[in-house]
Amino acid sequence: GDPNAVAGLMVLDRRTGRLATIAVGGDPEQYVYAVQFAPAGQGLLFHRTNRRQDRLQVCLADPLTGASRVIVEETQPTFQENRPLMRFLADGDRFLWGSERTGFRNLELRRLSAPGEVIVLTRHDYPVDTVVQVDEDRGQVWYAAFSGTLPMLPQLHRVALDGTAGVRLTTPNLGWSGFRIAPDGSRFVAIGQ
């Protein structure tokens, strides 16, 4: 019921003492959170969501000027997951994103340097749970999804980083509590529930 505190961000340059105010947006009731520096030094990442929490924006800000731009935007008719899966690859530019645009969490490959370029990795009518392992040398993502005979049974899947060659690797009538992938990707261990 009470009004939210107005959120803002500032970055202090320790060498110069210069303070930059980050442009977080004009909505006085928004939430600003998940603040971190981008892995390859491209700027300051932060999430913002409206008070109703049906719209999420991930923004990238220049810590020197304070200017910011939206990298990803997700909306839902009701509640939007406000801490979706976001996992950077080794180059610090590409990242896996867990989008719920279809009604189920699916994986996308995105880039900070080109926010409009999206490679859809999965198109499931069931939710992806977690990323188990990324093998960048082989261009593969191993992930768990609820694709079992019973929807609560997690299964191991693999897809190429270009969105092709998606496959479920475990038996759908059993559920698994964990997975271990061999270093060369030739085998895996599925730990039963």
Side-chain angles (χ1 to χ4, degrees):
D2 288 340
N4 288 341
V6 176
L9 290 174
M10 300 177 103
V11 176
L12 173 68
D13 185 324
R14 288 185 21 199
R15 289 175 285 159
T16 65
R18 185 171 180 268
L19 195 59
T21 300
I22 303 299
V24 295
D27 181 355
E29 292 194 342
Q30 72 186 347
Y31 301 101
V32 176
Y33 57 98
V35 180
Q36 63 178 335
F37 282 100
Q42 306 94 313
L44 187 71
L45 286 167
F46 65 92
H47 293 192
R48 68 182 176 206
T49 189
N50 57 340
R51 183 152 185 175
R52 188 167 179 219
Q53 298 185 42
D54 59 356
R55 184 186 75 243
L56 165 70
Q57 294 177 318
V58 178
C59 301
L60 181 66
D62 182 327
L64 298 176
T65 67
S68 66
R69 60 189 171 104
V70 175
I71 300 300
V72 181
E73 182 169 4
E74 295 271 341
T75 59
Q76 295 289 334
T78 55
F79 176 78
Q80 167 62 46
E81 170 68 42
N82 44 18
R83 286 198 185 260
L85 182 145
M86 185 176 189
R87 180 170 170 172
F88 280 91
L89 301 186
D91 62 15
D93 183 42
R94 295 176 301 156
F95 61 96
L96 297 174
W97 177 257
S99 174
E100 293 184 344
R101 245 184 310 288
T102 65
F104 295 98
R105 184 187 330 179
N106 277 284
L107 296 177
E108 299 174 345
L109 183 63
R110 294 176 162 266
R111 292 175 41 205
L112 290 179
S113 61
E117 293 179 21
V118 178
I119 298 172
V120 177
L121 300 181
T122 65
R123 300 175 194 276
H124 299 312
D125 59 356
Y126 47 82
V128 169
D129 183 31
T130 59
V131 172
V132 175
Q133 181 172 300
V134 179
D135 186 336
E136 292 188 54
D137 293 336
R138 290 179 183 80
Q140 298 174 331
V141 178
W142 300 67
Y143 63 95
F146 293 105
S147 64
T149 306
L150 293 173
M152 65 180 152
L153 300 177
Q155 305 295 312
L156 183 63
H157 294 249
R158 184 183 62 220
V159 67
L161 282 171
D162 65 3
T164 63
V167 62
R168 179 176 50 211
L169 300 167
T170 50
T171 307
N173 63 332
L174 299 172
W176 312 98
S177 62
F179 307 99
R180 302 281 187 265
I181 315 301
D184 65 359
S186 65
R187 293 176 175 79
F188 65 87
V189 173
I191 302 162
Q193 289 190 7

